[in-house]
Amino acid sequence: MMKKTTINDIAKAAGVSKTTVSRYLNQKYANMSETTKNKIEATIAKLHYQPNRNAQSLKTNQSYLLGVSVADISNPYTPRLLKGINDYLQSTRYQIMIMDADNSVQLEQANIQKLLRDEIDGLLLQPLNNQAKNYEQLIASGLPTIQVDRYLETSNWSAIVSDNFKKAAEVGALIQAHHYQHVIVLTNSIQYISSRKNRLSGLKAALQTSNINIQVLNVDQEQDWQTILVTAAQQDQKTVIYALNGSLLWETIRTLRSAEIDFPTDVGLLGYDDSGLADLITPGITSIMQNPHQIGKLAACKLVKLIDNPKKTKTEKTEIPTSLIERASL
């Protein structure tokens, strides 16, 4: 049986002390030269050394595990968010446990309880509800938590989100510039999701002094929403459809084409393009491009800093800019 490589082996091969190797593994680089760091790194790679995470946890009283609770892992937005998180954490000691709430508040709560039992060091949370009462156990635990994409109405947790209100106001200005008379807002349930609320309220704020009519179509409440959408799109008004997420944008395209409703000839169309494909169809879709990779990367960075320095990290909401790209669908 091959002997497992130890810290002593690394120290001997690199020509440094065991203490120096230990400091390197724990990312305590103060007073450590770049030459020494590079030598230890090269020796670890050469000897295929893998630190024992359980042993490290006993010494530092940390698990080096971070939880990531996402609303729906099948959403095109989510893989890019997770990629950003993982890209940042590759340079740290932390590993992640990903939990999919599958858009179920009950499952989300069960997932959070499991993560707490597993003694994670921190949590990246894409909340399914904006009410703090739904996260009482998590709040009471004092676990370092950063919100991504969405946020609670009241909490002591920082949040990294898109500039939804601002971009929705730009959408409203664009709709006015194209002289539309009627806007159909296509959305999932909106009451408890901050991102959806901001995407609607920004539009309303931009159009409040206009004569443009806003019709909100909730696909979670209307079982036959496709028929309602087609009927509304065929009204004798210049109409535009605004889909509040990427999945709904593509469902809308499928519905319109099945009903032989053309855009922009019969109806205008725009929405969030979380899969980056809106320019690959004809005509190209006017869309809002988010940056979930940047959101994930910054959120992971802030969570690690919060774990390391809980008293020095202030609570704040950071908005990551999005891009409104106009194409031929309006």
Side-chain angles (χ1 to χ4, degrees):
M1 182 180 296
M2 184 179 294
K3 180 178 178 292
K4 186 175 181 179
T5 304
T6 67
I7 290 181
N8 285 330
D9 297 327
I10 299 298
K12 184 177 179 180
V16 298
S17 69
K18 178 181 176 182
T19 300
T20 301
V21 176
S22 180
R23 285 171 51 220
Y24 173 87
L25 293 172
N26 288 295
Q27 298 183 346
K28 296 179 179 179
Y29 303 135
N31 302 318
M32 185 182 297
S33 69
E34 284 297 318
T35 300
T36 299
K37 286 170 61 177
N38 293 337
K39 188 185 297 184
I40 295 172
E41 181 181 9
T43 304
I44 287 173
K46 181 179 179 181
L47 298 182
H48 306 291
Y49 174 70
Q50 294 292 332
N52 186 315
R53 187 168 60 83
N54 291 331
Q56 285 185 307
S57 299
L58 290 173
K59 290 180 181 180
T60 62
N61 198 31
Q62 288 184 254
S63 66
Y64 297 106
L65 280 175
L66 301 179
V68 181
S69 175
V70 296
D72 178 11
I73 205 165
S74 68
N75 190 305
Y77 177 96
T78 307
R80 297 163 67 194
L81 175 72
L82 295 175
K83 183 68 165 60
I85 294 169
N86 188 64
D87 282 354
Y88 178 80
L89 294 177
Q90 282 183 346
S91 62
T92 74
R93 296 163 287 177
Y94 292 97
Q95 301 178 42
I96 59 174
M97 295 179 63
I98 301 169
M99 307 296 282
D100 176 22
D102 197 23
N103 289 316
S104 164
V105 172
Q106 292 75 23
L107 180 56
E108 178 188 56
Q109 291 176 349
N111 288 343
I112 291 173
Q113 290 172 9
K114 176 174 174 31
L115 290 169
L116 290 174
R117 289 195 300 269
D118 288 338
E119 298 184 343
I120 57 174
D121 292 334
L123 176 65
L124 295 169
L125 174 67
Q126 186 185 26
L128 279 176
N129 192 290
N130 64 358
Q131 301 297 304
K133 65 182 181 181
N134 289 281
Y135 302 91
E136 289 178 348
Q137 184 179 2
L138 178 58
I139 294 169
S141 73
L143 182 73
T145 300
I146 299 291
Q147 302 170 99
V148 293
D149 182 46
R150 309 165 177 180
Y151 54 86
L152 277 61
E153 287 185 348
T154 57
S155 78
N156 292 323
W157 299 328
S158 289
I160 318 296
V161 298
S162 295
D163 59 344
N164 291 300
F165 184 94
K166 178 182 177 182
K167 200 56 61 180
E170 292 180 22
V171 167
L174 185 61
I175 287 171
Q176 290 189 75
H178 282 269
H179 307 293
Y180 284 100
Q181 301 168 303
H182 181 216
V183 185
I184 303 171
V185 179
L186 202 61
T187 180
N188 296 99
S189 294
I190 205 167
Q191 183 177 4
Y192 298 113
I193 306 296
S194 64
S195 56
R196 297 172 194 164
K197 292 178 72 172
N198 287 330
R199 291 171 190 179
L200 177 59
S201 58
L203 177 72
K204 287 182 174 180
L207 299 182
Q208 63 181 346
T209 60
S210 74
N211 294 320
I212 300 174
N213 177 51
I214 300 175
Q215 176 185 353
V216 179
L217 180 53
N218 187 328
V219 303
D220 294 332
Q221 294 179 354
E222 299 290 351
Q223 186 174 2
D224 196 20
W225 66 266
Q226 291 94 339
T227 300
I228 297 173
L229 176 65
V230 168
T231 301
Q234 292 172 333
Q235 293 181 28
D236 189 21
Q237 289 180 301
K238 188 175 181 181
T239 298
V240 60
I241 300 170
Y242 172 37
L244 293 199
N245 65 53
S247 297
L248 283 178
L249 176 61
W250 295 104
E251 282 296 318
T252 300
I253 293 170
R254 188 175 293 111
T255 298
L256 294 177
R257 288 190 164 169
S258 294
E260 298 184 346
I261 296 175
D262 294 328
F263 50 87
T265 307
D266 301 321
V267 65
L269 177 64
L270 59 86
Y272 280 76
D273 177 25
D274 294 328
S275 57
L277 301 176
D279 62 337
L280 298 182
I281 68 171
T282 302
I285 308 299
T286 297
S287 59
I288 299 97
M289 293 291 295
Q290 300 186 87
N291 196 335
H293 183 273
Q294 186 179 352
I295 289 175
K297 195 170 184 178
L298 181 58
C301 175
K302 283 186 173 288
L303 182 57
V304 171
K305 288 182 177 179
L306 179 60
I307 293 169
D308 292 341
N309 297 289
K311 294 182 179 180
K312 294 183 179 180
T313 306
K314 64 178 181 179
T315 301
E316 58 187 359
K317 182 177 72 175
T318 303
E319 293 191 348
I320 302 300
T322 56
S323 301
L324 176 55
I325 303 171
E326 187 173 359
R327 300 189 179 96
S329 63
L330 291 181

